[in-house]
Amino acid sequence: MTRDHDVSSITRRQVLAGAGGTGLLAAAAPISARAATRSTAAAAADGTPEQIHLTWGDDPASSVTVSWASPGPARRPRVVFRHAGGGSHVVPAAQRVYTDGINGETVWTYHAELTGLRPASAYGYTVTADNDTSARPFAATFSTAPRGRQPFRFTSFGDLATPNTQWVLSYGQSAYAVAAVESFRPLFHLLNGDLCYANLNPTTQPEVWRDFGHNNQASAAHRAWMPCLGNHEVEFDNGTQGFTSYLTRYSLPDNGVRGFRGHWYKFRVGSVLFVSLDADDVVYQDAAAFVAGPAPLTPVSATGNPAIAPGTSFYIRGYSGGAQTAWLERTLATARRDPSIDWIVVQMHQIACSSSATGNGSDLGIRQAWLPLFDKYQVDLVLNGHDHDYERSFPCRGFDSMVGTEVATGAPVQTLRPHPVTTDDTGVFDTSQGTVHLVLGCGGTNANLDDYGVDTADGLRQAKVFTKPNRPIPGAAAGTFTRAAADAVEDAPWSARRDTSTGYGIAVFDVDPGVPGGHTSIKITQYHALGADPVNPATGAAGAPTPDYTEFETFTLIRPRSDRHAGHTAERSSALA
Ligand SMILES: [Fe+2]
């Protein structure tokens, strides 16, 4: 594939932290798409599976979906799987195809849902097609989830990118991050948004996704990787919300909401309900696809799509018309009535509680739409990406009113600041009393560690907060446009811990179901990759990607088991009957 310029020297901070960065990107990046360079004839003949990755089906104890892509259309694409000591089963794959709306390249993907599997069991599988040109079909193994209250491990980070440094925001740490997931051998991984930044490489989006898929396969072919949408999954000319690349490549549990399958979903493992949300639907921040100018973004003529004018941003706040929030409330209410569910863990990309000063910060949109529901239904843990750092909040419930300050005027402004139920960092937190938020935008993106906010007046931690849309405004150079940083600040007593030594890491979660009548716990360890930052935040020296992840901190969440009173309830019911 060809490119007009190498823009890999543009850092994530320049791209993400407000206006100047996006202007820079537009000035340097190629903006006229070229037709796909791959030979159509060769691609048409090649159904070799690549970018193989697993996701959970509707029930992780009994269903797993195998997804992949191939250079051209596959003939009779299929998965053959077998249980240890059992016979082979052949599952035909469904084909999903899209044509990128900017460079006109067609992407062929395949999805086979394996159902009727046994809980906590290992399976071997192969992926192939009649026009698979590999010497031997791809083969790997996976394990299904346990059923009932059982211990298990999962991992998480966001903002992964690819190891191909041709692409804006890609960096070698992306490969080590995938290897880190494998090294911890989790049951599954939560990839909390901004997967590969294809929308910052708008004329080569399918190629960026392809490098992302190749990189992830080293882990995602062996265990489910469950993603969520971030601002960088929003792509011009690829669907109503710009999600066609993501939605075509991932097969995710059905949320039952017509028109929005794959946008948000839930699944359950053991006594934990996992809820994956699309915060693009509620955030004020405008940080998705954007043409900063001065040149327009011009799709190839074959797409039939017109040039996209400078100053255009793809802003999708409110796109579900409240459907996602209504689904969330139904989901949370049902879960909290279920005595077999103890924990509710939410993943979403953008952040309610981030005190990053040079990155994005917090967003009032999430605080307005979803934190009241997290309070009402005792959501235990929220996992985010978006800012390139690691930050942990104290458990929070409710809010402190009118304690924000508008940056432009110094006037008081409502930020609905989450209220910490304790500021004593004991290392053990009862999340039935408040929700803990983690920022895990520490995957593999090419970026230096964010600076964290400090209120210079009192020395306390300070957070930036978006309280209104930062839509494009004219930039400094003629014909360019920019998007402003967050419009408000607040002191941040909810902030418990920030990693000031590196912006790279992975969080490892070990669920202990506990015993009947007692508490259950999740032990959380953040491992970080010291020295991986392009510029070391402590020394200023140049760093390099590293495979070495070491412990940064460990803490434990506890809550009473939900079956505590189930026995009493059952006795009372039988007495009444
Ligand atoms: Fe983001």
Side-chain angles (χ1 to χ4, degrees), residues 49-74:
E50 61 178 40
Q51 309 170 53
I52 295 146
H53 60 103
L54 306 179
T55 50
W56 295 129
D58 290 336
D59 173 15
S62 67
S63 56
V64 168
T65 299
V66 185
S67 297
W68 67 94
S70 57

Side-chain angles (χ1 to χ4, degrees), residues 171-186:
Y171 188 52
Q173 195 63 26
S174 178
Y176 290 130
V178 173
V181 175
E182 274 310 276
S183 74
F184 290 109
R185 305 190 66 78

Side-chain angles (χ1 to χ4, degrees), residues 22-47:
T22 34
L24 250 177
L25 172 66
I31 49 162
S32 292
R34 294 180 171 187
T37 53
R38 223 179 283 164
S39 157
T40 305
D46 190 354

Side-chain angles (χ1 to χ4, degrees), residues 84-344:
S88 290
H89 304 266
V90 180
V91 180
Q95 176 178 282
R96 293 191 206 157
V97 179
Y98 75 99
T99 297
D100 184 82
I102 303 293
N103 78 0
E105 182 174 330
T106 295
V107 175
W108 306 85
T109 77
Y110 299 91
H111 307 267
E113 185 174 6
L114 318 185
T115 58
L117 308 176
R118 298 177 203 165
S121 297
Y123 289 85
Y125 73 98
T126 57
V127 185
T128 193
D130 285 356
N131 54 340
D132 178 351
T133 63
S134 56
R136 184 176 298 170
F138 176 86
T141 61
F142 66 83
S143 292
T144 53
R147 215 184 273 297
R149 283 187 167 89
Q150 297 292 329
F152 67 94
R153 166 177 284 185
F154 64 98
T155 53
S156 186
F157 52 61
D159 304 69
L160 180 57
T162 90
N164 182 350
T165 56
Q166 277 191 89
W167 311 131
V168 172
L169 287 191
S170 277
Y171 188 52
Q173 195 63 26
S174 178
Y176 290 130
V178 173
V181 175
E182 274 310 276
S183 74
F184 290 109
R185 305 190 66 78
L187 182 63
F188 62 94
H189 180 68
L190 297 174
L191 181 56
N192 57 54
D194 281 4
L195 310 187
C196 65
Y197 304 90
N199 77 355
L200 293 178
N201 302 271
T203 64
T204 50
Q205 290 172 150
E207 287 77 10
V208 178
W209 278 101
R210 191 173 191 226
D211 286 340
F212 166 81
H214 283 309
N215 183 47
N216 289 5
Q217 179 178 303
S219 175
H222 304 281
R223 59 201 78 247
W225 276 47
M226 302 303 285
C228 73
L229 288 158
N231 51 305
H232 288 295
E233 277 62 68
V234 179
E235 299 170 355
F236 284 122
D237 291 332
N238 278 334
T240 311
Q241 293 88 30
F243 295 148
T244 297
S245 297
Y246 174 98
L247 294 172
T248 307
R249 290 164 188 275
Y250 280 101
S251 182
L252 296 164
D254 191 356
N255 59 26
V257 183
R258 198 168 170 185
F260 297 114
R261 179 163 185 171
H263 291 234
W264 60 85
Y265 60 91
K266 64 180 167 68
F267 64 92
R268 178 182 171 172
V269 175
S271 62
V272 187
L273 182 76
F274 292 89
V275 180
S276 186
L277 299 175
D278 178 18
D280 294 309
D281 191 15
V282 301
V283 291
Y284 284 104
Q285 186 187 12
D286 180 353
F290 178 45
V291 181
L297 172 62
T298 306
V300 297
S301 57
T303 64
N305 291 323
I308 304 167
T312 306
S313 72
F314 200 165
Y315 189 63
I316 59 173
R317 172 176 156 80
Y319 76 77
S320 84
Q324 183 173 200
T325 299
W327 174 91
L328 175 63
E329 173 140 36
R330 289 197 302 275
T331 297
L332 297 179
T334 301
R336 276 290 169 244
R337 282 196 301 267
D338 184 341
S340 70
I341 291 177
D342 295 323
W343 300 94
I344 302 176

